[in-house]
Amino acid sequence: MKRARILVIFGTRPEAIKLFPVVAALKAVSGLDVRTCVTAQHRGLLDQVLAIAGLTPDVDLDLMEPGQSLDRLTARLLTGLGDVMDAEKPDRVIVQGDTATAMVGALAAYYRKVPVSHVEAGLRSGDIYQPWPEEVNRRIVAQIADQHFAPTQTAADALLRENIDPAMIHVTGNTVIDALHATRAKLAADPSLAAGLDDIATRFAGKKIVLVTTHRRENFGGGMDNIAHALGQIAARDDVAIVFPMHPNPNVVEAMNRVLGNRPNIARIDPLDYPHFIRALGLCHIALTDSGGVQEEAPALAKPVLVMRETTERPEGVVAGTAKLIGTDPERIVAEVTTLLDDPAAYAAMARAHNPFGDGHASERIASIVANGFGVATP
């Protein structure tokens, strides 16, 4: 009997983190032929995750170019992924999240009438320009997919409001929690996997560490300058240290170099691989971010998240109290960070709030639903 062929497509670091446990769960099903294709939309950052996950892609398109425009990237993805699908002839395509790779992967599959599964479906901010272009990417995939793996009931409700067939929607939890648990287990067994932070842990011992990540396109320009000025004010405190894994985008690097220069209690470091990032989350007191994934990961380690955006497609964290939207006004950023540094009750209220994003078994649920769609039993 011919095994159903599943083609899993991804291209960025966040996609790889959230899909490596899904790939592992699918490969544990003997009745499925699982193939992986990476576009390398983020080359170096992607490769870090592939290494720790022990995952070697079956197809690597290596499409990254410096300063690539969205339209050029989209065009290259469409022809590249189309060629892959023509060669692989998948019975189902799986994409994750909100990237250009996910959107175009779904579109290329649609052009071939190949059904699409969408991991992390239903996230909505309600504003097509925040986050940009991710909000529209998600909405496009939703019109194509016939399996929507919503991480929360809130995400499922958003799909229902868009008239998605309820039978196609499955609330699974978010696979990033699966990835976090798997990586923490690896770190417990082999601490050397994140030994690169030993010097920072020693250097900032006794200080309250603020872990900063920022890279959103909508914050390029004035927003990034505001963030840099706020970090400078926060770093003026003797009891605080800032650890800032710098996204390589020139819009981020230039603003931080210009505004911050070199300060002894700001460690601007290279982007972290996933084990080091999980350790950094464990070391920090507060996560200050404009990332989506950090809003899900930090609460799993009881770390408050301050989100430097005006909207979020992950409102569950805000409702639960694990995250707070604070925008990019420097005075607001400084005030909110200061409150969490100085008010133990405010800190505890966020740190102890229930994480709404899952129990670590989302990937198993997804693999079971995909397999059952082909009449294949799961372990």
Side-chain angles (χ1 to χ4, degrees), residues 296-311:
E296 301 154 347
E297 294 159 319
L301 300 180
K303 308 296 180 175
V305 187
L306 296 176
V307 184
M308 296 181 291
R309 289 163 58 178
E310 301 299 332
T311 63

Side-chain angles (χ1 to χ4, degrees), residues 201-334:
T202 301
R203 172 180 165 190
F204 294 148
K207 292 184 180 289
K208 294 178 178 178
I209 293 175
V210 179
L211 178 65
V212 178
T213 69
T214 179
H215 68 279
R216 303 235 55 103
R217 290 176 185 267
E218 62 263 31
N219 282 340
F220 290 171
M224 204 58 63
D225 286 351
N226 286 345
I227 291 168
H229 284 292
L231 295 180
Q233 294 180 58
I234 295 164
R237 292 179 54 135
D238 291 337
D239 62 336
V240 171
I242 292 174
V243 175
F244 189 172
M246 287 275 289
H247 195 282
N249 191 293
N251 291 283
V252 179
V253 175
E254 187 278 330
M256 298 304 156
N257 285 343
R258 175 168 41 81
V259 176
L260 292 176
N262 293 313
R263 302 187 185 216
N265 58 341
I266 300 180
R268 285 190 285 150
I269 58 179
D270 289 336
L272 298 173
D273 64 19
Y274 195 54
H276 282 89
F277 183 73
I278 295 304
R279 184 181 179 193
L281 271 179
L283 290 171
C284 81
H285 191 68
I286 299 165
L288 180 63
T289 186
D290 63 11
S291 165
V294 177
Q295 296 174 52
E296 301 154 347
E297 294 159 319
L301 300 180
K303 308 296 180 175
V305 187
L306 296 176
V307 184
M308 296 181 291
R309 289 163 58 178
E310 301 299 332
T311 63
T312 180
E313 63 284 15
R314 294 166 173 85
E316 299 92 337
V318 176
V319 172
T322 60
K324 188 173 187 179
L325 286 171
I326 64 171
T328 58
D329 176 75
E331 292 184 5
R332 175 84 187 276
I333 293 172
V334 172

Side-chain angles (χ1 to χ4, degrees), residues 11-13 38-47 60-69 72-73 76-77 101 247-250:
T12 66
R13 176 181 183 269
V38 298
T39 63
Q41 191 177 329
H42 293 170
R43 177 79 270 172
L45 301 178
L46 170 70
D47 289 346
D60 189 336
L61 292 178
D62 197 23
L63 291 179
M64 183 178 181
E65 287 183 349
Q68 191 164 222
S69 67
R72 178 170 173 78
L73 172 62
R76 296 179 72 221
L77 284 168
T101 292
H247 195 282
N249 191 293

